[in-house]
Amino acid sequence: MSDEHSTDRDQGSEVNFDAMSNTVRILHAREEQVHMGGGSRAIEKHHARGKMTARERIEALLDEGSPFLEIGLFSAWEMYEEYGGAPSSGTVFGVGRVHERDCVIVANDATVKAGAWFPVTAKKNLRAQEIAMENNIPIIYLVDSAGVFLPLQDEIFPDKEHFGRIFRNNAVMSSQGIPQIAAIMGYCVAGGAYLPIMSDEALIVEHTGTVFLAGAHLVKAAIGEEVDNETLGGARVHSEISGVTDYRMPDDTTALRTIRDLVSKLGRRGNAGYDRIAATAPRRPAEDLYYIMPKDRSKPFDTHELLGCIVDDQEYVEYKADYGKTLICAYARIDGWAVGIVANQRGIVRSGNGEMQIGGVIYSDSADKATRFILNCNQKRIPLVFLQDVTGFMIGSRAEHGGIIKDGAKMVNAVANSVVPKITFIIGNSYGAGNYAMCGKAYDPRFIFAWPTARISVMGGAQASNTLLDIRLSQMKRDGRQISEEEQQELLRDIQERYERQMSPYYAAARLWVDGIIDPVDTREVISHCISVADNNPDVPRFNPGVLQT
């Protein structure tokens, strides 16, 4: 790692700092915007009904001063605009501590379309259940939802990863002994009524909580019965008559206090035993990341310098340091936790035979090294941290003749079959099969985050735009159409703008391809939090790499 002093700045690093600072300012401004949910007027109406907002409920539930690892903050970002938008897809969820127990907490945000479920809302709730199951931790549902958003019912109702999968997961988690506690704090309608009742215990708040398969309007339309919602499925009905709920609460505050009490009495189940010692501060301050990451993402930089801002000082042993240099594989500690790091080296390096290798590209020797390293980490039960800044695997006749496909397949196989927790950060480029080999979303990372500098696509923007332009021009030529050079350039600009928008980390976060976008200075803290959560699951399967010849 570099011993460069953080106070020694050149003009280029100052440019990098300004660019990253501006990118992070935009991130924080957008976070504040999303935190407002349906807006200040909707929040005021919510409070006037005697209800806390979703974020207020979560804050009251958590241990005071404990961190909350929010997942999916930017879900549905710039989606569903024709319906007025759906900030954070109308649901707030993450992992936090309740009586010193890690818990997944899911809260409907009724300031957004009365907490209605959009297609991404279902995907987000399934992700919440996946985290609870993978990490063997309790899940708490704070229910306040009007049910499925009917204009989009065909995109949320019948498929395997749609709304109904949530209730299937309720049943599976129950069979696995994962505690589920639900509080009905507002509307709980139709199919959504099954979620709290399929939980282990259900609370309901008087005067605001109601649960029924069909509301008063639908009951009248369907069978002609006239009844109000409170008489149909309010707190008194389900606590005294139907027996559907277990606890009747006078208000939100009491309900949340009762949930905390229930969690405090849960039995302990052991942990995975991932190694941790007392932490030491990194060699360089986290703020140096702003200076290291180049404004121009095509420029090389030494990834070792970046690691110096994240890993514990004096706890860094590089594996096969002189071989396969476009990937850095290292045993290290992050906040005291033992980790195996697989990071793309963005500097231009020289291979063992003296050839220059392009940073960010995975060559055969790099893939071979990473495969062996991943096997070792699984053998030693060491969690893996992937830092993606990858443009893909090397191409060309020399690479093909050298077996790049075979070596790349070995690496992908090792990543796919890895059983230790995998935590992925997309810090820069994430293109094509490089995304897969470096544990993209399709390869089941336990958690996956992006820096605001991330770019995610099948190939780089310039290459993709020119390829798409050639395809479009060929189609026009076949149709007998001719366009001028000026029209071609305008068409290219349109294609580039659309492709650049789709490469954005916000586009990815909106669709839950990543769990969130984080400030780079928070990377170390997020890694530590994720491993702490993963350590709750003592059941680490035996590693079987499958068909893998090394």
Side-chain angles (χ1 to χ4, degrees):
M1 287 182 289
S2 171
D3 289 322
E4 176 191 354
H5 251 286
S6 60
T7 54
D8 297 334
R9 309 294 185 206
D10 58 27
Q11 185 175 0
S13 65
E14 294 293 345
V15 169
N16 296 341
F17 179 87
D18 290 343
M20 180 67 85
S21 297
N22 185 58
T23 303
V24 171
R25 276 195 295 270
I26 293 171
L27 170 64
H28 291 326
R30 290 177 173 179
E31 287 174 341
E32 290 181 11
Q33 177 184 341
V34 175
H35 284 166
M36 291 299 292
S40 55
R41 290 184 62 185
I43 291 172
E44 288 172 7
K45 290 180 179 179
H46 202 72
H47 286 160
R49 300 188 185 106
K51 299 166 67 174
M52 302 165 72
T53 65
R55 294 187 180 277
E56 289 167 344
R57 287 166 176 167
I58 291 173
E59 185 178 358
L61 189 59
L62 294 173
D63 293 347
E64 187 174 355
S66 65
F68 181 62
L69 183 66
E70 183 165 355
I71 305 295
L73 172 65
F74 287 107
S75 59
W77 174 262
E78 293 186 338
M79 297 174 68
Y80 312 124
E81 295 298 320
E82 64 270 38
Y83 303 108
S88 212
S89 65
T91 300
V92 182
F93 108 77
V95 184
R97 307 217 88 191
V98 179
H99 271 289
E100 300 186 355
R101 312 287 185 98
D102 287 313
C103 297
V104 173
I105 304 170
V106 186
N108 300 118
D109 185 353
T111 70
V112 178
K113 301 289 189 298
W117 288 56
F118 288 77
V120 173
T121 315
K123 187 174 183 180
K124 187 170 180 177
N125 278 261
L126 288 169
R127 177 66 178 133
Q129 293 179 320
E130 180 181 48
I131 289 174
M133 287 188 280
E134 284 185 332
N135 298 290
N136 192 36
I137 57 178
I139 185 166
I140 299 167
Y141 308 100
L142 307 179
V143 184
D144 194 346
S145 172
V148 167
F149 187 66
L150 288 178
L152 297 173
Q153 64 86 26
D154 63 318
E155 298 179 39
I156 188 174
F157 168 62
D159 209 346
K160 180 178 179 180
E161 294 185 349
H162 284 177
F163 193 61
R165 186 76 172 183
I166 291 162
F167 317 129
R168 175 264 186 193
N169 286 350
N170 285 139
V172 169
M173 282 191 284
S174 179
S175 72
Q176 294 175 347
I178 296 172
Q180 300 176 81
I181 301 171
I184 301 162
M185 311 181 87
Y187 283 119
C188 184
V189 183
Y194 289 105
L195 185 148
I197 310 310
M198 292 187 72
S199 299
D200 300 308
E201 294 181 285
L203 304 82
I204 188 167
V205 178
E206 289 186 297
H207 309 303
T208 58
T210 53
V211 55
F212 32 64
L213 294 181
H217 291 295
L218 183 54
V219 167
K220 183 177 180 180
I223 63 174
E225 180 184 359
E226 293 197 15
V227 62
D228 62 78
N229 283 336
E230 189 68 26
T231 304
L232 184 65
R236 190 189 70 83
V237 169
H238 287 309
S239 297
E240 297 181 9
I241 301 172
S242 72
V244 165
T245 56
D246 305 306
Y247 308 93
R248 180 167 56 171
M249 301 284 107
D251 50 41
D252 283 6
T253 301
T254 307
L256 297 168
R257 190 166 58 241
T258 302
I259 293 173
R260 284 183 54 82
D261 185 66
L262 293 171
V263 171
S264 73
K265 295 176 174 61
L266 294 175
R268 302 283 180 179
R269 302 189 178 204
N271 55 40
Y274 301 123
D275 188 67
R276 191 181 196 186
I277 63 173
T280 58
R283 183 174 300 182
R284 300 179 63 168
E287 291 74 16
D288 275 13
L289 293 169
Y290 285 26
Y291 294 96
I292 295 169
M293 287 294 290
K295 176 183 178 181
D296 182 350
R297 296 299 304 116
S298 66
K299 288 186 175 180
F301 67 94
D302 188 353
T303 305
H304 290 96
E305 294 185 9
L306 181 149
L307 294 177
C309 304
I310 297 173
V311 305
D312 291 11
D313 193 15
Q314 307 302 328
E315 292 288 349
Y316 180 91
V317 179
E318 188 167 352
Y319 175 78
K320 292 183 180 289
D322 298 321
Y323 177 73
K325 293 182 179 180
T326 63
L327 275 177
I328 297 171
C329 298
Y331 299 109
R333 289 192 184 272
I334 294 177
D335 197 28
W337 291 103
V339 298
I341 296 173
V342 182
N344 299 108
Q345 170 59 289
R346 281 304 309 271
I348 298 175
V349 300
R350 193 175 296 277
S351 68
N353 60 12
E355 294 177 347
M356 299 301 292
Q357 293 186 338
I358 303 167
V361 177
I362 302 175
Y363 292 76
S364 283
D365 53 357
S366 302
D368 174 68
K369 177 173 77 171
T371 299
R372 295 171 184 271
F373 181 72
I374 292 166
L375 297 179
N376 287 349
C377 288
N378 276 272
Q379 181 74 11
K380 299 175 181 180
R381 291 182 66 163
I382 298 174
L384 284 159
V385 175
F386 292 84
L387 299 176
Q388 284 198 18
D389 195 347
V390 58
T391 53
F393 285 92
M394 189 58 190
I395 59 174
S397 61
R398 182 185 292 262
E400 298 292 357
H401 296 171
I404 186 64
I405 295 175
K406 176 186 65 177
D407 291 318
K410 291 177 184 178
M411 183 177 174
V412 169
N413 190 319
V415 172
N417 285 295
S418 179
V419 296
V420 295
K422 297 170 292 190
I423 304 164
T424 300
F425 293 84
I426 302 173
I427 65 174
N429 303 321
S430 180
Y431 297 158
N435 171 282
Y436 302 158
M438 293 295 292
C439 198
K441 184 63 182 290
Y443 287 78
D444 297 321
R446 196 70 64 95
F447 296 94
I448 179 169
F449 295 92
W451 287 6
T453 47
R455 293 292 180 269
I456 306 166
S457 67
V458 74
M459 65 177 72
Q463 304 95 308
S465 298
N466 282 296
T467 301
L468 290 169
L469 177 64
D470 289 343
I471 293 170
R472 186 77 62 85
L473 293 176
S474 296
Q475 291 172 337
M476 290 179 173
K477 187 176 180 179
R478 284 197 301 270
D479 294 340
R481 296 174 57 192
Q482 297 291 330
I483 64 173
S484 67
E485 180 65 27
E486 182 178 335
E487 290 173 321
Q488 287 187 34
Q489 291 304 311
E490 184 178 351
L491 183 58
L492 178 61
R493 282 193 298 271
D494 289 342
I495 292 171
Q496 286 175 333
E497 287 175 5
R498 184 174 71 254
Y499 200 84
E500 283 294 323
R501 186 173 66 254
Q502 292 175 352
M503 293 171 68
S504 163
Y506 295 95
Y507 190 92
R511 290 153 181 82
L512 291 171
W513 301 345
V514 295
D515 289 325
I517 305 171
I518 66 166
D519 186 334
V521 301
D522 295 330
T523 303
R524 176 179 163 87
E525 178 184 344
V526 170
I527 292 171
S528 179
H529 197 158
C530 290
I531 298 176
S532 177
V533 172
D535 197 44
N536 283 285
N537 191 349
D539 184 18
V540 181
R542 182 178 175 84
F543 178 58
N544 183 351
V547 180
L548 179 60
Q549 298 176 351
T550 59

